[in-house]
Amino acid sequence: MISLALLLALAADKPARIDAPPIVADRIILVGDSTMAPGSGWASLFCAEHVKSTIACLNMGRGGRSTRSYRQEGSWAIILSELAVKGYRKSYVLIQFGHNDQSSAPERWTDLATEFPANLRRYIGDVRAAGGIPVLVTPLARRQFKDGMLLNTLEPWAAAVRQVATAVNVPLVDLNADSAALIQKMGAVEATSLAMTAPLPEERAAAQAGTTLPPRPAETARLPDVPTTPTGPSGQIVRKFDYTHVGDAGARVFAAQVANGLAVAIPDLRSSLLP
């Protein structure tokens, strides 16, 4: 049994108590479409593998959204509410759109020459007004090929993003250029490994010939064979092979490109980003 005298002696040997120094933490909020969203995009692996614990990283990418619908549905209001939360030294908002602005869906599409850049400028103004730092990201390239050459159908939208970034002095991560260069180097066959699921034999054969097939109809997508329990998680993300969305392999490749691009665009973040 330890005596009172021994306990007092042990207590006397302890160093004086001091307060821990205040933490200096930054925040990265990712805003965009399905090529950024959990399960189908690159951003979750960016948060998981490319930021240190001094960075709070929030992936707010949502499938099927454009610069118009993301605001109309109220998702942008959530971002502004998040920016109102204090405690961070700096808050960076990475904004990546284009895929659905380009679509024909009536609730999504925007005019490339006027509406799309105006929407980006409005997002930038909102972030700056809230005390955040906006960063534009050009849209991830699709992996479609013709005669062995990549069809970068999103280049016009990427060009519009670059023009806005230059005009209003916003940092830019040129993911479209970086991803397009990498996909072209990989070639049509190897690039199929970046998709959410494996290609069908005819899709692989087309890639081997150098010209990919049109994307499958949406109804060919399927839920993964993941076992669930009555009381456990039951959410599912539909998987499909296409030339736009990515599985873990694709997410890992493009998340690394974003980390590299962000380190160049925001030198202050370099020591908080992991290669």
Side-chain angles (χ1 to χ4, degrees):
M1 185 174 182
I2 300 177
S3 68
L4 178 59
L6 179 57
L7 288 174
L8 292 173
L10 291 172
D13 290 338
K14 289 184 177 179
R17 288 168 58 91
I18 61 172
D19 291 334
I23 187 172
V24 178
D26 293 326
R27 171 172 49 182
I28 295 176
I29 304 172
L30 300 140
V31 173
D33 54 37
S34 58
T35 61
M36 179 186 274
S40 60
W42 54 264
S44 292
L45 280 181
F46 171 83
C47 291
E49 299 184 356
H50 293 286
V51 300
K52 295 173 67 174
S53 62
T54 51
I55 296 282
C57 193
L58 177 62
N59 182 8
M60 291 294 291
R62 301 189 191 279
R65 273 61 172 190
S66 67
T67 56
R68 182 162 64 100
S69 64
Y70 197 92
R71 183 185 290 274
Q72 287 177 329
E73 71 182 5
S75 285
W76 186 245
I78 295 173
I79 301 301
L80 296 180
S81 296
E82 179 67 25
L83 284 172
V85 176
K86 305 303 180 183
Y88 298 96
R89 182 184 63 163
K90 294 180 180 179
S91 294
Y92 301 89
V93 182
L94 273 62
I95 302 167
Q96 179 211 272
F97 287 105
H99 286 82
N100 297 295
D101 290 84
Q102 189 188 53
S103 82
S104 59
E107 76 281 5
R108 301 177 188 175
W109 71 268
T110 63
D111 180 76
L112 173 60
T114 57
E115 189 178 9
F116 180 65
N119 288 348
L120 291 176
R121 285 171 179 261
R122 189 178 174 192
Y123 281 131
I124 290 164
D126 288 349
V127 173
R128 285 174 167 169
I133 301 171
V135 180
L136 291 181
V137 182
T138 56
L140 179 68
R142 293 191 176 97
R143 303 178 298 280
Q144 293 169 286
F145 283 77
K146 183 176 181 180
D147 299 328
M149 298 301 297
L150 180 70
L151 296 174
N152 191 359
T153 56
L154 282 154
E155 168 54 31
W157 300 85
V161 176
R162 296 184 196 107
Q163 291 169 3
V164 171
T166 299
V168 295
N169 194 28
V170 170
L172 176 75
V173 175
D174 201 346
L175 179 59
N176 183 268
D178 292 342
S179 59
L182 178 62
I183 294 165
Q184 180 64 64
K185 183 178 179 180
M186 293 176 74
V189 176
E190 187 179 355
T192 63
S193 66
L194 305 178
M196 298 176 76
T197 62
L200 295 172
E202 56 267 33
E203 290 166 330
R204 178 171 290 278
Q208 290 170 337
T211 299
T212 52
L213 295 178
R216 299 181 201 172
E219 56 267 22
T220 64
R222 64 180 180 83
L223 291 172
D225 299 323
V226 178
T228 62
T229 63
T231 58
S234 60
Q236 301 283 328
I237 293 177
V238 174
R239 286 196 213 161
K240 55 185 174 181
F241 175 84
D242 62 19
Y243 307 103
T244 299
H245 304 95
V246 296
D248 285 350
R252 187 161 281 111
V253 166
F254 299 126
Q257 288 192 324
V258 172
N260 290 334
L262 188 59
V264 174
I266 311 286
D268 285 349
L269 278 174
R270 287 177 184 168
S271 64
S272 296
L273 295 172
L274 300 171

